């Protein structure tokens, strides 16, 4: 899946749109990030006034952090790998279980340059979104480019996906 992103759209403008949507609905966001290492949370909190709608961020880069901070099962990680739909879904559940936020974003992927495999090559990223009392949505992306490009594309995809879901109500 490609990221719906063009040169006219910047991360800052996506955050501005989210801020407007979320504050207008009185909703808040929490994030759980692995391969993006807090970049989504940083993008959100770069905007002044983000404390009105950004609740918290978990950087759960290691498997132990996913287990300790979010309650992701070690067995689930062992069975599917940290870069998988089930683990990202569990990260979403853990994010909302450990925060009062209305929405969660979770990301886990192989940013590179190493660490890929045949079924999860470099650039494979799972991004998920969850609103309270709804089922999680997790999408697998295959990004191209350097480590920085994969991570930046992941941030954009996460923010665009959240904007679409919040806007849809």
């Amino acid at each position: 899946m490609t990221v719906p992103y063009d040169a006219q759209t910047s991360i800052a403008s996506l955050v501005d749109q989210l801020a407007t949507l979320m504050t207008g609905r009185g909703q808040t966001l929490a994030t759980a990030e692995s391969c993006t290492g807090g970049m989504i949370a940083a993008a959100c909190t770069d905007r002044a006034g983000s404390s009105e709608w950004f609740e918290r961020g978990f950087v759960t880069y290691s498997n132990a952090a996913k287990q300790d901070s979010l309650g992701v099962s070690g067995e689930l990680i062992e069975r599917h790998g940290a870069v998988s739909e089930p683990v990202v879904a569990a990260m979403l559940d853990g994010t909302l279980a450990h925060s009062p936020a209305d929405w969660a974003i979770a990301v886990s992927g192989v940013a590179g340059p190493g660490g890929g495999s045949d079924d999860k090559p470099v650039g494979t990223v799972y991004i998920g979104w969850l609103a309270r009392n709804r089922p999680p949505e997790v999408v697998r992306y295959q990004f191209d480019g350097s480590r920085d490009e994969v991570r930046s594309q992941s941030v954009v995809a996460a923010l665009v996906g959240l904007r679409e879901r919040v806007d849809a109500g």
Side-chain angles (χ1 to χ4, degrees):
M1 176 170 262
T2 59
V3 177
Y5 179 74
D6 60 44
Q8 301 296 323
T9 307
S10 71
I11 290 174
S13 69
L14 288 170
V15 170
D16 287 345
Q17 293 166 30
L18 273 174
T20 299
L21 281 171
M22 297 197 76
T23 56
R25 289 174 166 83
Q27 296 179 330
T28 57
L29 170 65
T31 60
E33 302 180 63
S34 187
C35 67
T36 50
M39 292 171 66
I40 297 167
C44 292
T45 59
D46 278 348
R47 184 182 193 280
S50 60
S51 61
E52 292 180 40
W53 61 276
F54 186 82
E55 212 286 320
R56 70 183 68 181
F58 298 93
V59 177
T60 55
Y61 201 74
S62 71
N63 291 344
K66 290 172 184 63
Q67 295 170 339
D68 296 344
S69 297
L70 302 175
V72 176
S73 158
E75 179 186 334
L76 191 69
I77 294 171
E78 181 69 29
R79 189 172 346 132
H80 299 282
V83 179
S84 66
E85 182 176 344
V87 168
V88 169
M91 290 170 67
L92 289 166
D93 287 339
T95 301
L96 289 188
H98 293 91
S99 79
D102 302 292
W103 284 91
I105 293 174
V107 180
S108 187
V110 184
S117 65
D118 287 343
D119 52 310
K120 295 176 188 172
V122 170
T124 302
V125 179
Y126 286 86
I127 302 173
W129 305 268
L130 178 62
R132 290 203 182 272
N133 304 313
R134 293 189 194 168
E137 295 181 63
V138 179
V139 175
R140 178 184 170 144
Y141 292 86
Q142 188 62 53
F143 299 122
D144 292 321
S146 68
R147 177 178 178 80
D148 288 344
E149 290 168 330
V150 168
R151 294 174 76 205
S152 293
Q153 290 172 81
S154 299
V155 171
V156 171
L159 294 173
V160 168
L162 182 63
R163 181 190 64 196
E164 291 170 353
R165 285 157 179 82
V166 172
D167 196 34

